[in-house]
Amino acid sequence: MAKLMVVFRTSPYGTIYSFEGLENVLIMGAYDQDVSVLFIDDGVLAIKKGMDNSSTGIKDFSPTFRALEAYDIEKIFIDRTSMESRGLKLEDLVIEPEIIEADAVEKMMEEQKNFFMF
Amino acid sequence: MKFGLLITEGPYQHEASDSAYQFAKAALAKGHEILRIFFYSDGVLNSTKLMDPQADDRHIQKQWTELSTSNNIDVIVCVAAAKRRGINDDVIADGFKIGGLGMLTELAIEADRLVEFRA
Amino acid sequence: MLHLINKSPFESMSLEDCLKYANKGASILLYEDGIYAAMPGTAVSERMAGVTADYKVYALKEDMMLRGVDKVMDGVTEIDYAGFVGLVEESKTASW
């Protein structure tokens, strides 16, 4: 079983990276690997509560993050400073990731067989 | 070593595809194996044979086709990202294949190194 | 770890974001618009002098030439694509 990780570091909607990154995570869940998900920088904004796409029609994919556990993806982390510097707390998020500190991020990357950044 | 490349930007708009191409050539020249080159997000637009740049510029699709066919490299265009952007079997150039996103996971499992070229 | 930076420091936070997570001694390759961070005599040169003290910083020669940047500041090592591949042989890569 390979350790694989997807790092979300871009905001949603302005660009498609976090949406297509999420599609990648869902596929990875089907491969029975040791998958982690990490939110850093603007990536934390992709799991903010209260998104309303009724005025634009752009697909709201934030509910899909809540389904990650159903895809056997349970290792979900968020960088504390990225979250706090954007004025967010855990209760503002659609899921409840485990909080980690910035100095743990590189080590987490090093531990993977490979990882993606979206 | 076994390398995998992921490219998430379209041609010309961003340098990512050019950088990935130069990196791939340099990796092959050093004797590395490239297991697969995977095009995702706007990267899928690198595969269209409708591309027709001015004659004094490089032809990005033809560069990839030539690299793929002469070195027998698996070059995959993600089907989900491609459908969204109007890329299908009618427009895809030789040397590219449309494939599932699972092939990116498989690449991450098998490659010693995965290198992302992105915006 | 090899961190790949391809954005201008005058336009993007990507280098500063990377530095929040990169442990001292890590390698940073500046390529594409990232090479502007290594251009001597700019508003970020002083900041970059500090970065080169803590990290191994490289700049991709082909992207320097393309942009008419003929030299980089002290502490930054110029490499070509073969050198880029060499760095990837040594480390996993993070693309910022």
Side-chain angles (χ1 to χ4, degrees):
Chain A
M1 195 187 278
K3 280 178 78 70
L4 303 174
M5 181 163 72
V6 175
V7 181
F8 288 90
R9 69 170 301 266
T10 56
S11 50
Y13 309 115
T15 59
I16 199 169
Y17 304 110
S18 68
F19 174 49
E20 292 193 328
L22 178 60
E23 289 192 321
N24 186 38
V25 174
L26 299 180
I27 296 287
M28 290 167 83
Y31 276 77
D32 199 26
Q33 305 294 313
D34 182 0
V35 177
S36 300
V37 173
L38 170 63
F39 296 91
I40 63 173
D41 302 332
D42 274 354
V44 304
L45 299 168
I47 49 174
K48 186 182 177 303
K49 277 181 186 164
M51 293 177 187
D52 178 358
N53 65 348
S54 59
S55 59
T56 62
I58 298 179
K59 186 180 169 79
D60 173 10
F61 56 96
S62 63
T64 312
F65 281 107
R66 287 199 295 265
L68 286 179
E69 276 196 25
Y71 289 81
D72 289 328
I73 293 163
E74 289 157 359
K75 295 182 177 176
I76 306 177
F77 306 92
I78 190 165
D79 168 52
R80 179 191 301 278
T81 54
S82 300
M83 181 175 73
E84 291 180 352
S85 65
R86 286 160 182 80
L88 297 174
K89 303 183 185 68
L90 274 185
E91 56 263 34
D92 299 319
L93 308 178
V94 296
I95 51 176
E96 192 166 336
E98 181 181 331
I99 294 178
I100 64 164
E101 305 301 328
D103 60 7
V105 167
E106 192 182 57
K107 180 165 176 286
M108 197 175 273
M109 290 172 169
E110 292 275 12
E111 287 169 357
Q112 310 300 318
K113 173 80 194 277
N114 280 301
F115 63 92
F116 303 97
M117 292 172 78
F118 285 99
Chain B
M1 281 184 136
K2 294 176 182 168
F3 284 13
L5 270 56
L6 170 63
I7 299 158
T8 55
E9 295 306 317
Y12 303 102
Q13 171 79 15
H14 193 281
E15 197 181 344
S17 180
D18 294 285
S19 299
Y21 174 71
Q22 298 298 334
F23 181 88
K25 283 201 305 182
L28 292 170
K30 290 191 82 175
H32 294 294
E33 181 184 358
I34 297 179
L35 290 180
R36 178 172 294 153
I37 299 172
F38 195 91
F39 287 95
Y40 194 38
S41 298
D42 270 6
V44 301
L45 298 170
N46 286 281
S47 68
T48 173
K49 64 186 176 192
L50 302 179
M51 198 182 290
D52 188 17
Q54 289 175 315
D56 62 350
D57 202 355
R58 80 283 191 217
H59 193 302
I60 290 179
Q61 170 263 307
K62 285 184 178 168
Q63 286 181 343
W64 285 116
T65 293
E66 202 279 331
L67 188 88
S68 163
T69 52
S70 60
N71 297 283
N72 201 21
I73 297 173
D74 198 25
V75 176
I76 300 297
V77 177
C78 171
V79 61
K83 284 178 75 170
R84 227 171 244 141
R85 295 167 175 85
I87 299 293
N88 59 25
D89 286 329
D90 294 339
V91 300
I92 201 168
D94 288 345
F96 293 86
K97 282 182 291 207
I98 293 179
L101 193 45
M103 297 176 85
L104 180 58
T105 299
E106 290 164 11
L107 183 60
I109 294 169
E110 289 164 26
D112 299 312
R113 291 283 186 271
L114 186 77
V115 187
E116 270 185 63
F117 292 88
R118 53 173 294 172
Chain C
M1 181 74 72
L2 171 64
H3 298 278
L4 302 178
I5 302 292
N6 66 343
K7 294 167 197 76
S8 163
F10 304 102
E11 186 264 336
S12 161
M13 292 287 288
S14 73
L15 176 60
E16 290 301 329
D17 284 342
C18 161
L19 291 169
K20 285 188 301 186
Y21 309 112
N23 293 310
K24 289 181 180 175
S27 297
I28 297 171
L29 171 61
L30 307 168
Y31 77 114
E32 298 177 359
D33 285 351
I35 64 124
Y36 292 122
M39 213 162 48
T42 75
V44 301
S45 295
E46 199 176 314
R47 167 69 176 143
M48 286 305 295
V51 173
T52 59
D54 289 337
Y55 300 92
K56 289 173 276 188
V57 183
Y58 303 86
L60 189 67
K61 205 173 183 60
E62 286 85 344
D63 280 333
M64 289 172 56
M65 288 172 59
L66 183 62
R67 288 164 174 78
V69 176
D70 55 4
K71 72 182 181 78
V72 288
M73 53 185 292
D74 290 346
V76 177
T77 307
E78 292 178 26
I79 60 167
D80 59 10
Y81 268 100
F84 184 174
V85 173
L87 292 176
V88 175
E89 290 165 5
E90 292 168 22
S91 311
K92 296 191 177 92
T93 64
S95 298
W96 295 89

